[in-house]
């Protein structure tokens, strides 16, 4: 198929939704995996960013220059689609992005600029550069309704692929692009009441903090915009975004190894969607070591390597107690037979920030953490301890 022929079509891949016998046996429910790691850029990011890029070329023509700030996966999605559309692409990266990720971007023809310790600093540098290039268009990594609309297509696919409406959808959250797409997709197919579970790593949990401060630490179903005043020792500052009438935290420091979840603040439009959603959002944070442990278990079971941002989603599938506490007392009270009838979807979001060497390092870190017999996690404002399984 020629480039011209595909320009009016979606460029992303309809990914498989596969039944996981391994996870289903652990949790006692029917568990399905939405394999977004099979997108052309190896992550869900390709859906929304390819849609955005197509619109840019349609509007600005073949001389358009796609410019994006990214920790890696969004940049790779932009680079892959730029090659397909035969347009120029430049990716701004934080200085700590691995050489492997940089090489992957170059293989797809992208130009690279490394600048800034955090994503927010990299984005600021990109914004300055875009102003100096008349052909440049700033491609958002996660904060755009166009991206959310593209990502929502995975839920449309789920509706066709699943035998029944799911009882919950699990995903990881960084800046909020993925969960924004899932919420939009649920709205599109009439699944507004389906619980969506947002998982993050502690130390890189800007979305969790955003939901907490707009709901009085998860105690109010009606969003309440708080004061911007916070304690001096707070891990974030607070900004009121008047466009959405929502409070947004800006993390002072990111302390997680899950680099793809390393947004210092979430998309305000997504936070607004979440607090207004009929079915609500359930939020949980886990330690890096728990995500590392899950990455190894999932790799052993499914023969798929996952970066930490992806394995974070899967942690409730490998710890039944965690799953039950997230889904609450009504779900926990079901008999084993009733639970077998339940259908859960885990979005395997993909990502290229993983290697065999890192998996071996994770093994050592997890082994060192075995001195504790439990995982400390946060679920909707409450800290709890889970037995290691």
């Amino acid at each position: 198929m020629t480039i011209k022929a595909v320009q009016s079509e979606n460029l992303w891949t309809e990914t498989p939704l596969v039944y996981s016998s391994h996870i289903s046996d652990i949790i006692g429910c029917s568990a399905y995996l939405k394999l977004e790691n099979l997108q052309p850029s190896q992550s869900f990011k390709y859906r929304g960013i390819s849609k955005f890029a197509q619109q840019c070329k349609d509007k600005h023509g073949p001389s358009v220059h796609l410019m994006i700030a990214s920790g890696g996966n969004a940049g790779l999605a932009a680079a892959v689609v730029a090659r397909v559309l035969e347009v120029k692409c430049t990716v701004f990266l934080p200085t700590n992005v691995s050489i492997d990720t940089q090489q992957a971007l170059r293989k797809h023809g992208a130009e690279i600029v490394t600048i800034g310790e955090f994503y927010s600093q990299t984005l600021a540098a990109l914004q300055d550069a875009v102003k100096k290039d008349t052909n440049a268009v700033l491609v958002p990594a996660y904060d755009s309704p166009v991206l959310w609309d593209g990502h929502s297509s995975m839920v449309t696919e789920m509706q066709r692929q699943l035998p029944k409406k799911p009882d919950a959808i699990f995903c990881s959250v960084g800046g909020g692009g993925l969960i924004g797409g899932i919420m939009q997709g649920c709205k599109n197919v009439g699944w507004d009441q389906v619980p969506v579970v947002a998982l993050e790593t502690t130390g890189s949990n800007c979305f969790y903090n955003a939901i907490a401060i707009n709901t009085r630490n998860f105690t109010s179903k009606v969003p309440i915009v708080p004061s911007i005043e916070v304690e001096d020792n707070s891990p974030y500052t607070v900004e009121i975004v008047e466009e959405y009438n929502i409070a947004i935290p800006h993390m002072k420091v990111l302390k997680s190894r899950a680099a793809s979840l390393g947004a210092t603040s979430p998309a305000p439009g997504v936070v607004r969607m979440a607090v207004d959603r009929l079915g609500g959002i359930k939020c949980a944070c886990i330690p890096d070591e728990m995500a590392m442990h899950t990455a190894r278990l999932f790799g052993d079971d499914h023969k798929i390597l996952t970066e930490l941002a992806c394995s974070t989603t899967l942690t409730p599938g490998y710890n039944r107690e965690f799953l039950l506490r997230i889904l609450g007392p009504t779900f926990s009270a079901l008999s084993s037979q009733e639970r077998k009838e339940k259908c859960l979807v885990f979005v395997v979001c993909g990502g290229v920030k993983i290697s065999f060497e890192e998996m071996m390092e994770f093994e050592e870190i997890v082994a060192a953490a075995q001195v504790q017999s439990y995982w400390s996690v946060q679920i909707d404002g409450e800290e709890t301890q889970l037995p290691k399984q």
Side-chain angles (χ1 to χ4, degrees):
M1 184 177 290
T2 66
I3 296 297
K4 289 183 179 179
V6 302
Q7 290 207 27
S8 63
E9 299 177 3
N10 298 323
L11 298 180
W12 61 76
T13 299
E14 178 168 333
T15 56
L17 184 83
V18 300
Y19 176 79
S20 171
S21 58
H22 300 283
I23 295 177
S24 297
D25 285 348
I26 293 169
I27 62 177
C29 312
S30 293
Y32 291 87
L33 307 174
K34 184 61 171 162
L35 298 179
E36 289 299 294
N37 56 309
L38 299 180
Q39 290 294 343
S41 68
Q42 297 175 261
S43 84
F44 79 95
K45 296 274 190 181
Y46 193 74
R47 290 182 186 266
I49 287 176
S50 65
K51 185 180 184 73
F52 189 95
Q54 284 178 291
Q55 291 186 4
C56 287
K57 186 173 182 182
D58 288 345
K59 182 177 180 180
H60 300 284
S63 63
V64 69
H65 179 189
L66 304 179
M67 300 185 73
I68 187 169
S70 168
N73 290 315
L76 187 59
V80 172
V81 72
R83 187 189 63 182
V84 173
L85 297 177
E86 297 181 337
V87 298
K88 185 178 179 181
C89 178
T90 299
V91 181
F92 279 57
L93 299 167
T95 53
N96 62 355
V97 170
S98 71
I99 296 298
D100 287 345
T101 299
Q102 294 180 42
Q103 289 176 342
L105 287 164
R106 289 194 177 97
K107 285 179 182 177
H108 290 284
E111 296 182 9
I112 294 173
V113 177
T114 55
I115 186 170
E117 184 179 358
F118 302 118
Y119 172 80
S120 57
Q121 297 167 338
T122 306
L123 178 60
L126 169 67
Q127 290 167 337
D128 288 339
V130 168
K131 295 174 184 176
K132 301 172 184 176
D133 185 337
T134 56
N135 291 319
V137 174
L138 193 157
V139 180
Y142 58 84
D143 191 359
S144 165
V146 176
L147 265 59
W148 311 333
D149 187 44
H151 300 333
S152 74
S153 59
M154 74 176 71
V155 181
T156 305
E157 294 171 10
M158 288 179 201
Q159 186 190 38
R160 294 196 302 266
Q161 295 167 325
L162 282 169
K164 56 183 286 190
K165 181 169 72 174
D167 294 284
I169 300 173
F170 294 76
C171 69
S172 60
V173 185
L178 175 56
I179 198 168
I182 290 172
M183 288 189 289
Q184 182 62 52
C186 284
K187 190 175 186 67
N188 293 345
V189 302
W191 288 356
D192 260 345
Q193 297 288 356
V194 172
V196 174
V197 180
L199 291 124
E200 298 167 87
T201 50
T202 305
S204 188
N205 53 343
C206 66
F207 184 80
Y208 183 97
N209 290 327
I211 301 301
I213 63 179
N214 284 283
T215 59
R216 289 182 177 168
N217 199 30
F218 302 94
T219 62
S220 174
K221 292 185 178 180
V222 179
I224 299 171
V225 179
S227 165
I228 63 172
E229 300 297 325
V230 293
E231 299 288 338
D232 289 340
N233 62 352
S234 172
Y236 52 78
T237 59
V238 175
E239 172 195 10
I240 305 301
V241 179
E242 293 184 2
E243 179 183 357
Y244 295 100
N245 193 30
I246 204 81
I248 294 298
H250 294 267
M251 303 287 287
K252 296 175 182 177
V253 181
L254 298 174
K255 298 180 180 180
S256 171
R257 286 282 299 270
S260 293
L261 303 183
T264 53
S265 60
V270 171
V271 177
R272 184 77 250 179
M273 258 196 282
V275 297
D276 289 342
R277 187 171 186 265
L278 290 176
I281 297 290
K282 296 179 180 293
C283 296
C285 300
I286 65 166
D288 281 2
E289 293 84 358
M290 190 175 184
M292 294 174 182
H293 180 58
T294 301
R296 183 187 67 79
L297 295 175
F298 184 75
D300 284 348
D301 288 344
H302 299 86
K303 315 309 174 189
I304 298 173
L305 285 183
T306 55
E307 63 170 80
L308 295 184
C310 185
S311 63
T312 295
T313 304
L314 300 163
T315 51
Y318 282 91
N319 190 302
R320 179 188 281 193
E321 183 64 24
F322 189 27
L323 179 88
L324 295 180
R325 295 200 189 186
I326 289 172
L327 295 182
T330 301
F331 192 91
S332 299
L334 296 174
S335 68
S336 58
Q337 188 58 43
E338 289 172 324
R339 206 174 293 157
K340 285 181 181 178
E341 302 301 316
K342 298 299 180 181
C343 170
L344 307 180
V345 176
F346 296 85
V347 178
V348 182
C349 60
V352 298
K353 297 180 181 181
I354 190 61
S355 65
F356 287 114
E357 290 77 12
E358 286 175 297
M359 289 294 288
M360 292 173 65
E361 181 190 0
F362 294 168
E363 286 270 350
E364 295 175 1
I365 293 171
V366 171
Q370 292 301 325
V371 292
Q372 283 188 320
S373 60
Y374 58 85
W375 302 113
S376 291
V377 302
Q378 294 81 44
I379 304 171
D380 287 345
E382 296 184 3
E383 185 160 346
T384 188
Q385 295 179 347
L386 302 171
K388 292 183 177 180
Q389 296 179 351

